[in-house]
Amino acid sequence: MCGRFIITDTAPDLAAMFDVEHEGENLPEPSWNIRPTEQIPIVLESKRTDPAVRRLESARWSLIPSFATEPTSKFPTFNARAETAAEKPTFKTSVKSRRALVPATGYFEWHTEGTVKTPYFIHSDDGLPLAFAGLYSWWKNPAAADTDPARWVLSATILTTDARGPLAQIHDRAPVALPEEWWDQWLDPATEGDQTLVDAAVAASREVVESLNFYQVAPISGNGPELIEPVDNDSV
């Protein structure tokens, strides 16, 4: 599960890192406490042109399928289980050709023992941003006029899989963090995605996920660099 994450890189930094050709408008600022339904930066490749154009866009973090009549859902859509994404109506269209990368400096996870939940910050061992395997969708608001520029909503979700290695001590789920050599294949809209592709992406992510580092942090509140400061357990 990934219910809170951070991205401290600016839009120009992300554009350079992911070889982006087009930067969208109103890209979100760096944040240390991103919550579901907030705007996040995602990397996608537009299939409207040939060759496809790699873009950095702002998306709502909680996918709205194109067939939805309203933006809210009875169940959470900020994460999608990798094991079933290709068969679920909410996500299967996006698996086929609307795949994205979600940049993240790291993410928060809570370890639960009884009624006590302890937050941890999880990040790469080299400090470089992670690239979560994501899916995106364009949703047209039926209540908005055709002349309303906000009638089209771009939204996204993060794929998750079972946690492996030390991470499994904290939580049984983890986001699918793709290695750089997989970025092009995952984004390519000409590749028709199916469960086989998703499974291969998960397999490719294993080494990245198992190498992630983590440490305990204070309860998550507010938004600032102090949220990722490690807790000194000797002083607690």
Side-chain angles (χ1 to χ4, degrees), residues 17-38:
M17 190 177 310
F18 290 94
D19 294 326
V20 166
E21 300 165 87
H22 171 80
E23 289 186 46
E25 299 179 354
N26 302 315
L27 288 162
E29 296 293 325
S31 174
W32 284 262
N33 189 8
I34 303 173
R35 302 173 176 85
T37 75
E38 293 183 346

PDB file of all heavy atoms in Angstrom, residues 17-38:
ATOM      1  N   MET A  17      15.257  14.571 -15.674  1.00  0.00           N
ATOM      2  CA  MET A  17      15.507  13.217 -15.205  1.00  0.00           C
ATOM      3  C   MET A  17      14.823  12.162 -16.082  1.00  0.00           C
ATOM      4  O   MET A  17      15.373  11.099 -16.349  1.00  0.00           O
ATOM      5  CB  MET A  17      14.995  13.096 -13.763  1.00  0.00           C
ATOM      6  CG  MET A  17      15.378  11.831 -13.049  1.00  0.00           C
ATOM      7  SD  MET A  17      14.760  11.890 -11.350  1.00  0.00           S
ATOM      8  CE  MET A  17      15.335  13.503 -10.811  1.00  0.00           C
ATOM      9  N   PHE A  18      13.615  12.489 -16.556  1.00  0.00           N
ATOM     10  CA  PHE A  18      12.832  11.519 -17.321  1.00  0.00           C
ATOM     11  C   PHE A  18      12.800  11.836 -18.824  1.00  0.00           C
ATOM     12  O   PHE A  18      11.981  11.286 -19.555  1.00  0.00           O
ATOM     13  CB  PHE A  18      11.406  11.451 -16.773  1.00  0.00           C
ATOM     14  CG  PHE A  18      11.310  10.824 -15.414  1.00  0.00           C
ATOM     15  CD1 PHE A  18      11.322  11.607 -14.264  1.00  0.00           C
ATOM     16  CD2 PHE A  18      11.246   9.445 -15.269  1.00  0.00           C
ATOM     17  CE1 PHE A  18      11.245  11.037 -13.004  1.00  0.00           C
ATOM     18  CE2 PHE A  18      11.172   8.862 -14.016  1.00  0.00           C
ATOM     19  CZ  PHE A  18      11.172   9.654 -12.878  1.00  0.00           C
ATOM     20  N   ASP A  19      13.692  12.712 -19.280  1.00  0.00           N
ATOM     21  CA  ASP A  19      13.787  13.058 -20.697  1.00  0.00           C
ATOM     22  C   ASP A  19      12.442  13.512 -21.260  1.00  0.00           C
ATOM     23  O   ASP A  19      12.004  13.093 -22.339  1.00  0.00           O
ATOM     24  CB  ASP A  19      14.303  11.867 -21.523  1.00  0.00           C
ATOM     25  CG  ASP A  19      15.734  11.509 -21.176  1.00  0.00           C
ATOM     26  OD1 ASP A  19      16.515  12.423 -20.865  1.00  0.00           O
ATOM     27  OD2 ASP A  19      16.058  10.303 -21.184  1.00  0.00           O
ATOM     28  N   VAL A  20      11.777  14.373 -20.520  1.00  0.00           N
ATOM     29  CA  VAL A  20      10.460  14.874 -20.907  1.00  0.00           C
ATOM     30  C   VAL A  20      10.588  15.901 -22.022  1.00  0.00           C
ATOM     31  O   VAL A  20      11.453  16.774 -21.987  1.00  0.00           O
ATOM     32  CB  VAL A  20       9.745  15.483 -19.673  1.00  0.00           C
ATOM     33  CG1 VAL A  20       8.546  16.312 -20.086  1.00  0.00           C
ATOM     34  CG2 VAL A  20       9.339  14.382 -18.707  1.00  0.00           C
ATOM     35  N   GLU A  21       9.702  15.793 -23.004  1.00  0.00           N
ATOM     36  CA  GLU A  21       9.705  16.732 -24.135  1.00  0.00           C
ATOM     37  C   GLU A  21       8.695  17.860 -23.952  1.00  0.00           C
ATOM     38  O   GLU A  21       8.818  18.909 -24.573  1.00  0.00           O
ATOM     39  CB  GLU A  21       9.388  15.971 -25.426  1.00  0.00           C
ATOM     40  CG  GLU A  21      10.394  14.872 -25.746  1.00  0.00           C
ATOM     41  CD  GLU A  21       9.870  13.927 -26.804  1.00  0.00           C
ATOM     42  OE1 GLU A  21      10.070  14.230 -27.995  1.00  0.00           O
ATOM     43  OE2 GLU A  21       9.269  12.898 -26.447  1.00  0.00           O
ATOM     44  N   HIS A  22       7.684  17.632 -23.139  1.00  0.00           N
ATOM     45  CA  HIS A  22       6.643  18.642 -22.934  1.00  0.00           C
ATOM     46  C   HIS A  22       6.269  18.711 -21.464  1.00  0.00           C
ATOM     47  O   HIS A  22       5.937  17.696 -20.856  1.00  0.00           O
ATOM     48  CB  HIS A  22       5.392  18.314 -23.758  1.00  0.00           C
ATOM     49  CG  HIS A  22       4.217  19.199 -23.435  1.00  0.00           C
ATOM     50  ND1 HIS A  22       4.085  20.467 -23.948  1.00  0.00           N
ATOM     51  CD2 HIS A  22       3.131  18.988 -22.643  1.00  0.00           C
ATOM     52  CE1 HIS A  22       2.961  21.000 -23.485  1.00  0.00           C
ATOM     53  NE2 HIS A  22       2.367  20.129 -22.699  1.00  0.00           N
ATOM     54  N   GLU A  23       6.348  19.913 -20.883  1.00  0.00           N
ATOM     55  CA  GLU A  23       5.922  20.136 -19.506  1.00  0.00           C
ATOM     56  C   GLU A  23       4.535  20.744 -19.507  1.00  0.00           C
ATOM     57  O   GLU A  23       4.281  21.770 -20.143  1.00  0.00           O
ATOM     58  CB  GLU A  23       6.881  21.072 -18.775  1.00  0.00           C
ATOM     59  CG  GLU A  23       8.234  20.460 -18.450  1.00  0.00           C
ATOM     60  CD  GLU A  23       9.090  21.386 -17.609  1.00  0.00           C
ATOM     61  OE1 GLU A  23       8.564  21.960 -16.618  1.00  0.00           O
ATOM     62  OE2 GLU A  23      10.274  21.573 -17.942  1.00  0.00           O
ATOM     63  N   GLY A  24       3.608  20.122 -18.802  1.00  0.00           N
ATOM     64  CA  GLY A  24       2.243  20.619 -18.720  1.00  0.00           C
ATOM     65  C   GLY A  24       2.136  21.853 -17.849  1.00  0.00           C
ATOM     66  O   GLY A  24       3.111  22.310 -17.250  1.00  0.00           O
ATOM     67  N   GLU A  25       0.917  22.349 -17.749  1.00  0.00           N
ATOM     68  CA  GLU A  25       0.653  23.546 -16.959  1.00  0.00           C
ATOM     69  C   GLU A  25       0.280  23.172 -15.521  1.00  0.00           C
ATOM     70  O   GLU A  25      -0.165  22.066 -15.256  1.00  0.00           O
ATOM     71  CB  GLU A  25      -0.481  24.355 -17.590  1.00  0.00           C
ATOM     72  CG  GLU A  25      -0.192  24.850 -19.000  1.00  0.00           C
ATOM     73  CD  GLU A  25      -1.353  25.619 -19.587  1.00  0.00           C
ATOM     74  OE1 GLU A  25      -2.423  25.655 -18.935  1.00  0.00           O
ATOM     75  OE2 GLU A  25      -1.202  26.180 -20.688  1.00  0.00           O
ATOM     76  N   ASN A  26       0.477  24.130 -14.619  1.00  0.00           N
ATOM     77  CA  ASN A  26       0.056  23.993 -13.224  1.00  0.00           C
ATOM     78  C   ASN A  26       0.612  22.734 -12.558  1.00  0.00           C
ATOM     79  O   ASN A  26      -0.092  22.041 -11.816  1.00  0.00           O
ATOM     80  CB  ASN A  26      -1.477  23.994 -13.123  1.00  0.00           C
ATOM     81  CG  ASN A  26      -2.085  25.258 -13.705  1.00  0.00           C
ATOM     82  OD1 ASN A  26      -1.607  26.359 -13.450  1.00  0.00           O
ATOM     83  ND2 ASN A  26      -3.141  25.097 -14.487  1.00  0.00           N
ATOM     84  N   LEU A  27       1.882  22.435 -12.830  1.00  0.00           N
ATOM     85  CA  LEU A  27       2.511  21.289 -12.182  1.00  0.00           C
ATOM     86  C   LEU A  27       2.675  21.561 -10.690  1.00  0.00           C
ATOM     87  O   LEU A  27       3.019  22.671 -10.285  1.00  0.00           O
ATOM     88  CB  LEU A  27       3.855  20.997 -12.828  1.00  0.00           C
ATOM     89  CG  LEU A  27       3.767  20.398 -14.236  1.00  0.00           C
ATOM     90  CD1 LEU A  27       5.085  20.542 -14.974  1.00  0.00           C
ATOM     91  CD2 LEU A  27       3.352  18.929 -14.158  1.00  0.00           C
ATOM     92  N   PRO A  28       2.410  20.563  -9.849  1.00  0.00           N
ATOM     93  CA  PRO A  28       2.462  20.790  -8.401  1.00  0.00           C
ATOM     94  C   PRO A  28       3.871  21.067  -7.901  1.00  0.00           C
ATOM     95  O   PRO A  28       4.859  20.591  -8.455  1.00  0.00           O
ATOM     96  CB  PRO A  28       1.907  19.487  -7.822  1.00  0.00           C
ATOM     97  CG  PRO A  28       2.114  18.470  -8.885  1.00  0.00           C
ATOM     98  CD  PRO A  28       1.999  19.193 -10.191  1.00  0.00           C
ATOM     99  N   GLU A  29       3.920  21.831  -6.823  1.00  0.00           N
ATOM    100  CA  GLU A  29       5.188  22.128  -6.165  1.00  0.00           C
ATOM    101  C   GLU A  29       5.641  20.909  -5.355  1.00  0.00           C
ATOM    102  O   GLU A  29       4.847  20.016  -5.053  1.00  0.00           O
ATOM    103  CB  GLU A  29       5.023  23.338  -5.238  1.00  0.00           C
ATOM    104  CG  GLU A  29       4.685  24.638  -5.943  1.00  0.00           C
ATOM    105  CD  GLU A  29       5.823  25.136  -6.817  1.00  0.00           C
ATOM    106  OE1 GLU A  29       6.990  24.934  -6.426  1.00  0.00           O
ATOM    107  OE2 GLU A  29       5.539  25.713  -7.874  1.00  0.00           O
ATOM    108  N   PRO A  30       6.938  20.853  -4.994  1.00  0.00           N
ATOM    109  CA  PRO A  30       7.396  19.769  -4.124  1.00  0.00           C
ATOM    110  C   PRO A  30       6.565  19.681  -2.847  1.00  0.00           C
ATOM    111  O   PRO A  30       6.102  20.698  -2.322  1.00  0.00           O
ATOM    112  CB  PRO A  30       8.846  20.162  -3.821  1.00  0.00           C
ATOM    113  CG  PRO A  30       9.264  20.948  -5.026  1.00  0.00           C
ATOM    114  CD  PRO A  30       8.047  21.735  -5.418  1.00  0.00           C
ATOM    115  N   SER A  31       6.357  18.469  -2.361  1.00  0.00           N
ATOM    116  CA  SER A  31       5.544  18.261  -1.167  1.00  0.00           C
ATOM    117  C   SER A  31       6.101  17.090  -0.370  1.00  0.00           C
ATOM    118  O   SER A  31       6.559  16.097  -0.943  1.00  0.00           O
ATOM    119  CB  SER A  31       4.089  17.984  -1.552  1.00  0.00           C
ATOM    120  OG  SER A  31       3.321  17.649  -0.404  1.00  0.00           O
ATOM    121  N   TRP A  32       6.026  17.215   0.967  1.00  0.00           N
ATOM    122  CA  TRP A  32       6.505  16.157   1.859  1.00  0.00           C
ATOM    123  C   TRP A  32       5.340  15.353   2.443  1.00  0.00           C
ATOM    124  O   TRP A  32       5.551  14.513   3.302  1.00  0.00           O
ATOM    125  CB  TRP A  32       7.339  16.757   2.994  1.00  0.00           C
ATOM    126  CG  TRP A  32       8.709  17.163   2.575  1.00  0.00           C
ATOM    127  CD1 TRP A  32       9.874  16.453   2.738  1.00  0.00           C
ATOM    128  CD2 TRP A  32       9.088  18.367   1.896  1.00  0.00           C
ATOM    129  NE1 TRP A  32      10.930  17.137   2.209  1.00  0.00           N
ATOM    130  CE2 TRP A  32      10.485  18.325   1.687  1.00  0.00           C
ATOM    131  CE3 TRP A  32       8.384  19.484   1.454  1.00  0.00           C
ATOM    132  CZ2 TRP A  32      11.186  19.346   1.052  1.00  0.00           C
ATOM    133  CZ3 TRP A  32       9.065  20.501   0.815  1.00  0.00           C
ATOM    134  CH2 TRP A  32      10.454  20.422   0.617  1.00  0.00           C
ATOM    135  N   ASN A  33       4.143  15.599   1.965  1.00  0.00           N
ATOM    136  CA  ASN A  33       2.991  14.879   2.521  1.00  0.00           C
ATOM    137  C   ASN A  33       1.850  14.894   1.496  1.00  0.00           C
ATOM    138  O   ASN A  33       0.857  15.598   1.661  1.00  0.00           O
ATOM    139  CB  ASN A  33       2.544  15.525   3.838  1.00  0.00           C
ATOM    140  CG  ASN A  33       1.497  14.700   4.565  1.00  0.00           C
ATOM    141  OD1 ASN A  33       1.189  13.570   4.176  1.00  0.00           O
ATOM    142  ND2 ASN A  33       0.936  15.266   5.625  1.00  0.00           N
ATOM    143  N   ILE A  34       2.005  14.105   0.449  1.00  0.00           N
ATOM    144  CA  ILE A  34       0.992  14.059  -0.604  1.00  0.00           C
ATOM    145  C   ILE A  34      -0.070  13.040  -0.222  1.00  0.00           C
ATOM    146  O   ILE A  34       0.232  11.884   0.082  1.00  0.00           O
ATOM    147  CB  ILE A  34       1.615  13.675  -1.955  1.00  0.00           C
ATOM    148  CG1 ILE A  34       2.722  14.660  -2.330  1.00  0.00           C
ATOM    149  CG2 ILE A  34       0.549  13.630  -3.046  1.00  0.00           C
ATOM    150  CD1 ILE A  34       3.515  14.257  -3.565  1.00  0.00           C
ATOM    151  N   ARG A  35      -1.319  13.487  -0.262  1.00  0.00           N
ATOM    152  CA  ARG A  35      -2.453  12.645   0.101  1.00  0.00           C
ATOM    153  C   ARG A  35      -3.257  12.268  -1.146  1.00  0.00           C
ATOM    154  O   ARG A  35      -3.235  12.991  -2.145  1.00  0.00           O
ATOM    155  CB  ARG A  35      -3.371  13.382   1.074  1.00  0.00           C
ATOM    156  CG  ARG A  35      -2.705  13.845   2.372  1.00  0.00           C
ATOM    157  CD  ARG A  35      -3.669  14.715   3.158  1.00  0.00           C
ATOM    158  NE  ARG A  35      -3.143  15.115   4.455  1.00  0.00           N
ATOM    159  CZ  ARG A  35      -2.356  16.160   4.670  1.00  0.00           C
ATOM    160  NH1 ARG A  35      -1.982  16.917   3.634  1.00  0.00           N
ATOM    161  NH2 ARG A  35      -1.930  16.455   5.884  1.00  0.00           N
ATOM    162  N   PRO A  36      -3.989  11.160  -1.077  1.00  0.00           N
ATOM    163  CA  PRO A  36      -4.878  10.799  -2.190  1.00  0.00           C
ATOM    164  C   PRO A  36      -5.841  11.931  -2.541  1.00  0.00           C
ATOM    165  O   PRO A  36      -6.291  12.670  -1.659  1.00  0.00           O
ATOM    166  CB  PRO A  36      -5.627   9.582  -1.648  1.00  0.00           C
ATOM    167  CG  PRO A  36      -4.662   8.952  -0.702  1.00  0.00           C
ATOM    168  CD  PRO A  36      -3.966  10.104  -0.028  1.00  0.00           C
ATOM    169  N   THR A  37      -6.105  12.066  -3.814  1.00  0.00           N
ATOM    170  CA  THR A  37      -6.943  13.081  -4.488  1.00  0.00           C
ATOM    171  C   THR A  37      -6.204  14.397  -4.697  1.00  0.00           C
ATOM    172  O   THR A  37      -6.723  15.278  -5.388  1.00  0.00           O
ATOM    173  CB  THR A  37      -8.302  13.349  -3.798  1.00  0.00           C
ATOM    174  OG1 THR A  37      -8.121  14.120  -2.614  1.00  0.00           O
ATOM    175  CG2 THR A  37      -9.040  12.053  -3.509  1.00  0.00           C
ATOM    176  N   GLU A  38      -4.994  14.560  -4.128  1.00  0.00           N
ATOM    177  CA  GLU A  38      -4.213  15.764  -4.411  1.00  0.00           C
ATOM    178  C   GLU A  38      -3.530  15.614  -5.770  1.00  0.00           C
ATOM    179  O   GLU A  38      -3.461  14.527  -6.342  1.00  0.00           O
ATOM    180  CB  GLU A  38      -3.191  16.010  -3.308  1.00  0.00           C
ATOM    181  CG  GLU A  38      -3.828  16.361  -1.977  1.00  0.00           C
ATOM    182  CD  GLU A  38      -2.815  16.688  -0.894  1.00  0.00           C
ATOM    183  OE1 GLU A  38      -1.619  16.399  -1.079  1.00  0.00           O
ATOM    184  OE2 GLU A  38      -3.225  17.240   0.136  1.00  0.00           O
TER     185      GLU A  38
END
